[in-house]
């Protein structure tokens, strides 16, 4: 018998297990893959991610970036610089493993190579069945097993944006090592709603692209051409991977019965940048704290009120950021050139961009400016027709 069972040991699941264990609960953390495991992800920790890390936790940083290079389909390339590092870079297998170790140190029991096949519940308990025949019973369960996992389907999470991300991890060419030592490259304008990135991680470069789902061939061609343009196409990748990201529809459920969802399983992802680590860390901690309280509930009403408070906290913070980010995404999809010219030519635009990355401001705060709202409205007309994304 467990107080809290957590399914999925990415940043959301590990943060949830850590928070619940710190609250004194008996916690089991289940992971389908063998830990450490690779995850397609640029591995950039922005300001909100760093602020959401547990107290005393030191992430395994592989590199940092004080400079952003912006290009528009390979043209009009300009560099913007910051006095302080704006992004810290990690390898996801190392970062996730460190968070899992922190959860274990706090008292959580960790089991990897455990595939969950079914989630069921009665009035008092959640029963998590696994492929090897185990039945794990807990007072509350947290689903953090991604948008294609069992928990998302069980809760009934719905999505309104799906994107395909492709990434390779390649050794840094000796001739380019100085150039990439503290520099990130962002390329946009090649495909509607898409962008490419290069993130330096010590002796490796993470090179990837992300675009709306529906044109996998074109997305693969974008990555290939991107590598050719950067003179990185003749280097054998150490890792080549891809995955789909999903953004939840506003109002989509965040719990059912005694089961909560967090991170990717809840569709918590910033729609424009598709940044998900900060959303995973924040929602994971919120869900772990809520699950710890829910495990103590002495009535169905108290249980429901606790989980509704979790949903309200997500809606009032993370979903607000997602809604504002979607408004930027619509405008960007239709007019990437306007965004590019703004950030390379207008100091205030760069200040806003770097402020969002550092966490000094948010999309919500920026959108409160009337001129910004008017500009976004004008730029985003008919954007949904071109992308297939809902206007809801």
């Amino acid at each position: 018998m467990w107080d809290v069972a957590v399914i999925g040991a990415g940043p959301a699941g590990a943060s949830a297990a850590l928070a619940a264990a710190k609250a004194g609960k008996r916690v089991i953390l289940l992971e389908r893959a063998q830990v450490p495991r690779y995850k397609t992800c640029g591995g950039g920790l922005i300001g909100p991610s760093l602020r959401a890390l547990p107290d005393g936790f030191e992430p395994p940083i592989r590199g940092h970036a004080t400079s952003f290079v912006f290009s528009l389909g390979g043209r009009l390339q300009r560099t913007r610089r910051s006095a302080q590092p704006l992004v810290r870079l990690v390898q996801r297998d190392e970062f996730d493993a460190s968070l899992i170790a922190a959860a274990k140190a706090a008292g959580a029991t960790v089991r990897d190579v455990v595939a969950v096949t079914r989630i069921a519940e009665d009035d008092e308990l959640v029963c998590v069945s696994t492929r090897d025949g185990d039945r794990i019973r807990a007072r509350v369960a947290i689903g953090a097993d991604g948008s294609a996992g069992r928990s998302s389907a069980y809760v009934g999470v719905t999505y309104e944006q799906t994107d395909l991300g492709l990434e390779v991890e390649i050794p840094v060419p000796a001739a380019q090592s100085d150039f990439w030592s503290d520099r990130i490259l962002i390329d946009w304008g090649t495909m509607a709603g898409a962008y490419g990135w290069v993130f330096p991680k010590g002796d490796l470069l993470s090179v990837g692209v992300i675009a709306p789902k529906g044109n996998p061939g074109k997305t693969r061609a974008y990555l290939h051409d991107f590598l050719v343009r950067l003179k990185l196409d003749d280097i054998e990748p150490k890792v080549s991977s891809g995955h789909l990201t999903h953004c939840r529809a506003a109002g989509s459920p965040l719990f059912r019965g005694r089961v909560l969802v967090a991170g990717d399983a809840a569709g918590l992802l910033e729609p424009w940048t598709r940044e998900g680590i900060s959303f995973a860390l924040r929602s994971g901690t919120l869900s772990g704290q809520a699950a710890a309280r829910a495990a103590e509930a002495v009535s169905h009403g108290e249980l429901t009120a606790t989980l509704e408070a979790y949903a309200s906290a997500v809606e009032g913070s993370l979903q607000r950021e997602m809604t504002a980010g979607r408004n930027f995404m619509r405008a960007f999809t239709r007019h990437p050139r306007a965004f590019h010219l703004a950030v390379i030519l207008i100091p205030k635009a760069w200040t806003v961009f770097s402020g969002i990355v550092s966490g000094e401001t948010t999309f919500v705060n920026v959108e409160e400016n009337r001129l910004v709202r008017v500009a976004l409205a004008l730029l985003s007309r008919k954007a949904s027709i071109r992308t297939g994304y809902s206007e809801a």
Side-chain angles (χ1 to χ4, degrees):
M1 174 67 67
W2 302 89
D3 294 315
V4 179
V6 183
I7 307 168
S15 297
L18 176 58
K22 280 186 171 181
K25 302 307 171 189
R26 297 190 67 238
V27 179
I28 185 167
L29 176 60
L30 308 173
E31 168 55 41
R32 180 186 183 94
Q34 185 173 14
V35 176
R37 86 284 191 273
Y38 183 81
K39 168 74 183 293
T40 304
C41 176
L45 300 183
I46 60 175
S49 299
L50 296 170
R51 291 183 178 90
L53 292 172
D55 291 341
F57 178 81
E58 293 293 335
I61 302 297
R62 283 288 198 105
H64 65 270
T66 57
S67 299
F68 271 69
V69 182
F70 297 96
S71 65
L72 185 69
R75 298 172 289 109
L76 298 176
Q77 183 168 300
R78 297 290 187 276
T79 300
R80 287 290 200 175
R81 294 179 174 85
S82 169
Q84 301 295 327
L86 288 176
V87 181
R88 274 75 171 181
L89 289 310
V90 296
Q91 289 291 100
R92 276 294 303 273
D93 53 350
E94 298 173 350
F95 179 67
D96 292 7
S98 294
L99 283 172
I100 293 168
K104 188 174 182 179
T109 296
V110 179
R111 289 180 54 193
D112 61 357
V113 198
V114 175
V116 171
T117 58
R118 186 170 183 266
I119 300 172
E121 56 182 310
D122 56 30
D123 290 339
E124 302 296 332
L125 297 171
V126 180
C127 180
V128 177
S129 301
T130 70
R131 185 170 295 163
D132 57 10
D134 280 356
R135 297 180 69 201
I136 296 158
R137 301 173 73 82
R139 299 185 186 282
V140 184
I142 299 172
D145 49 345
S147 56
R150 295 285 177 180
S151 61
S152 177
Y154 180 82
V155 170
V157 180
T158 57
Y159 308 104
E160 64 178 355
Q161 176 178 324
T162 303
D163 298 280
L164 171 63
L166 302 175
E167 180 185 56
V168 294
E169 299 269 3
I170 61 176
V172 180
Q176 298 187 29
S177 59
D178 288 342
F179 179 84
W180 292 116
S181 63
D182 68 343
R183 191 169 312 201
I184 280 175
L185 186 147
I186 301 294
D187 178 79
W188 38 31
T190 298
M191 294 175 62
Y195 73 92
W197 71 83
V198 181
F199 286 174
K201 302 175 183 177
D203 58 352
L204 293 174
L205 291 178
S206 170
V207 185
V209 299
I210 193 162
K213 178 188 174 185
N215 292 291
K218 193 173 180 180
T219 305
R220 285 193 293 270
Y222 180 17
L223 177 58
H224 174 267
D225 294 345
F226 191 37
L227 288 165
V228 170
R229 186 193 314 153
L230 296 168
K231 296 181 171 57
L232 298 171
D233 58 305
D234 59 348
I235 303 173
E236 183 69 23
K238 288 197 170 184
V239 178
S240 180
S241 64
H243 79 302
L244 294 175
T245 65
H246 297 80
C247 293
R248 75 188 287 262
S252 177
L254 291 165
F255 72 93
R256 171 187 169 188
R258 293 176 173 269
V259 181
L260 304 81
V261 285
D264 287 348
L268 296 172
L269 189 78
E270 198 282 298
W272 179 26
T273 65
R274 285 79 154 190
E275 191 279 321
I277 295 178
S278 73
F279 285 77
L281 293 169
R282 289 180 285 175
S283 64
T285 299
L286 287 172
S287 68
Q289 294 168 343
R293 293 191 295 270
E296 300 174 349
V298 296
S299 68
H300 178 74
E302 184 180 349
L303 170 76
T304 301
T306 300
L307 302 188
E308 285 179 345
Y310 164 68
S312 295
V314 170
E315 292 285 354
S317 56
L318 303 183
Q319 184 58 48
R320 287 187 68 212
E321 293 181 32
M322 291 179 66
T323 300
R326 183 173 301 285
N327 293 335
F328 279 82
M329 175 62 170
R330 288 174 179 145
F332 166 76
T333 297
R334 187 163 176 79
H335 293 288
R337 184 183 181 89
F339 278 74
H340 179 71
L341 293 177
V343 79
I344 68 170
L345 297 177
I346 303 174
K348 179 64 175 178
W350 164 246
T351 299
V352 169
F353 182 92
S354 60
I356 290 172
V357 174
S358 67
E360 294 176 4
T361 190
T362 66
F363 286 112
V364 174
N365 294 336
V366 173
E367 198 182 27
E368 289 176 349
N369 183 292
R370 182 177 178 276
L371 292 178
V372 172
R373 291 199 305 274
V374 170
L376 291 176
L378 291 173
L379 291 172
S380 61
R381 288 178 179 174
K382 299 183 181 179
S384 64
I385 296 175
R386 296 185 59 175
T387 66
Y389 293 158
S390 168
E391 286 286 357

